[in-house]
Amino acid sequence: MRAIIWAMYKTQLQENMPALTAALFELYGSRWDFYLILERLEKILAAADKERSSVLKKLDDDFLSGQKKGGEPWFLSNKSLGTMLYVDLFSGNIKGLASKIKYFKELGINYVHLMPLFKTLKGDNDGGYAVSSYREVQKNLGTTADLKALVSAFRKEGIHTVIDFVFNHTSCEHEWAKKALKGDKKYRDFYYIYKNKADADEWNKSLREIFPSVRRGSFTYFKEAGGWVWTTFNSFQWDLNYSNPEVFLAMVQEMLFLANLGIEVLRLDALAFVWKEKGTACESLPKAYTLIKAFSLAAKIAAPSLVFKSEAIVHPDQVVKYIGQDMCRLSYNPLQMALFWSSLASRDARLLTLSMKKRWAIPDGCAWVNYIRCHDDIGWTFSDEEAWSLGINPYEHRKFLNRFYTGRFDGSFARGEAFQENPTTGDCRVCGTMASLAGLEEALDKDDQLLKEMAVARVRMMYGLLFALPGLPLLYAGDEEATLNDYSYKKNPKLAGDSRWVHRVKKDWDKKLLPEQKTIRDLIKRMAKVRAKEKLFAGSKVWFYDQQQPQVFAFCRSGAIHVVANFSESRVPFTVWANKGRLLTDLLSAKQVRAQEQILLEPYELLWLKEEA
Ligand code: GLC
């Protein structure tokens, strides 16, 4: 085994170093010390390899040999299902989480994304996305040793651990930032700090404002720093300066530390922002892709089974560019997510159909992480051109969606809140749990049976689509049992300024579920079971139906399962396109239909119609 393991590093180095060198040359090739940087990088990789445990090396070996044999990676299996959670809200602490393995297994979950759990600021810390140390777990959650033990317990149960790699910025209390504040030149160069406001203004001219309700522009004045610091998000999150190779070298070490804890997937946080160039929006620049490729190739050498997941909530043209075997093999699917909600509000699935047809394809061996809700707000990141091509005015449509989901549209079933409303443009994003946005909160308040049924049907339909699409379905913890919005964050000064806390709800393990919540939880369990048994749901094969009625979205998996959803409360006709007369059976309800014969879909009906052999 030892010999194989040693050979693995060498082989991986030989296979990946040329591409890694080329990527780094693009970023740092003009520097006199370029080759010294490469040399230092190789030392870092070799040291990390040395520290990697034999258990993890075995994992690497299995991953690589699976790949050589042409097998599908684990995340494309029909048995893979993900969840994401805040450890403190879900189980109090890390040790508590280990006792919840049974809960995950019952739901069929084998991918658990732990939201940021490393040392952070005491007050507002953006849910932990302001990292003060990449190696030290937050005290209230436990220790780094606890985390390592949890990851290993998860692995033994077939659960892959996912955490964030918050690599665009550190907190202002990270030791690098502290040294920068003390005037240490080396660490000042880790960030973008300008003495003169004019320099910051020059950059601001071409930047989008990401957190406009926090501050205008992307820079914050820090008296102690004697200048303006680049802070794309909150003022306590300092953007790292990757044009300085020292930052890359330092962050590779942090990345490999996490990999060597046994983490199998790193979610690359805010990856669109990592490279900056004057006069541009500094989002998804070509060198941002190159930088991610460089991180990925470094990981391939020293921790080959580590997988990246992209968190690019940007224009779909850019989202897809982060996906690849040498980039992120997993990516959130923000287009699918946003267009589910868009179709639900407008009872019109045309934009969803068109966008999925056009934009579904991604490289082999990669997968979408499909989702309905996550810890963040919903942004309407569809393509304007596609909207226009259907006669939909994208600006008006986004305005409508924001109004619909924030209680400003008469007749809306949704209960949600606005996030980061831009005082100049009035633009905003939307927060709320799946159940509240889908109408359950309103239905319960009104105690109206029909509204309750409609809300449950909406949730069922969306999950039915989520579980049937190719890729890895991701459940936001709490949504599996239709948790409602929690408005108590408004009373907590640490959280009150960030409406995303409305859907970051503490799990109460003793609370009795309402009948509708129980129905939803049982539905999810059943769908996960049926999916896990049905091999046709594995892999990436899919074709999307042409639009028949505007309300209906449909696709066919592996040439044999026709998935059909009615995004409205009207009855709408639909025809299955399979060989004439062929019998199809709904895997969920056992209902039978014949191909090429018109059927009538019930309100929010969802079908998994499998062709009889
Ligand atoms: C990502 C996270 C979000 C956070 C931001 C800054 O978008 O998902 O929660 O606020 O990055 O780290």
Side-chain angles (χ1 to χ4, degrees), residues 143-277:
T143 63
T144 308
D146 293 341
L147 176 61
K148 205 168 170 184
L150 174 76
V151 173
S152 148
F154 271 2
R155 192 182 324 105
K156 284 187 192 128
E157 294 291 337
I159 298 175
H160 307 270
T161 310
V162 186
I163 64 169
D164 282 88
F165 185 42
V166 186
F167 73 130
N168 174 66
H169 44 262
T170 71
S171 90
C172 57
E173 287 182 7
H174 191 283
E175 62 161 339
W176 302 336
K178 282 190 190 157
K179 286 182 181 161
L181 280 173
K182 281 194 187 131
D184 184 329
K185 164 98 175 74
K186 174 172 173 195
Y187 291 100
R188 276 183 85 84
D189 290 347
F190 267 46
Y191 302 96
Y192 292 89
I193 305 176
Y194 296 102
K195 280 203 180 104
N196 300 322
K197 184 163 183 297
D199 290 316
D201 287 345
E202 184 60 29
W203 283 102
N204 267 333
K205 270 191 215 157
S206 54
L207 298 178
R208 185 163 71 102
E209 293 181 308
I210 307 299
F211 275 12
S213 71
V214 167
R215 113 198 67 71
R216 305 315 302 265
S218 294
F219 287 79
T220 308
Y221 185 73
F222 279 84
K223 203 167 159 225
E224 316 88 284
W228 295 81
V229 182
W230 196 317
T231 53
T232 299
F233 297 91
N234 289 287
S235 299
F236 48 77
Q237 289 162 305
W238 289 20
D239 286 49
L240 286 163
N241 177 0
Y242 279 100
S243 70
N244 174 3
E246 294 302 325
V247 174
F248 175 73
L249 293 177
M251 286 304 279
V252 166
Q253 294 178 60
E254 304 310 293
M255 172 182 84
L256 294 174
F257 174 82
L258 299 175
N260 283 351
L261 289 178
I263 306 296
E264 288 181 68
V265 180
L266 285 182
R267 170 189 180 277
L268 300 193
D269 181 61
L271 80 180
F273 299 90
V274 290
W275 196 268
K276 337 266 197 211
E277 278 166 30

Side-chain angles (χ1 to χ4, degrees), residues 86 88-90 432-433 476-479 483-488 500-508 511:
Y86 287 92
D88 54 342
L89 299 180
F90 189 79
T433 65
Y476 178 56
D479 283 346
T483 303
L484 301 172
N485 285 346
D486 178 355
Y487 301 95
S488 64
R500 290 175 299 180
W501 289 99
V502 79
H503 57 250
R504 297 173 180 174
V505 184
K506 190 167 170 53
K507 184 164 169 65
D508 181 349
K511 198 168 167 184

Side-chain angles (χ1 to χ4, degrees), residues 46-60:
D49 171 72
K50 233 174 154 189
E51 271 167 27
R52 197 156 169 84
S53 72
S54 53
V55 175
L56 295 179
K57 290 202 169 183
K58 169 85 176 56
L59 201 71
D60 294 335

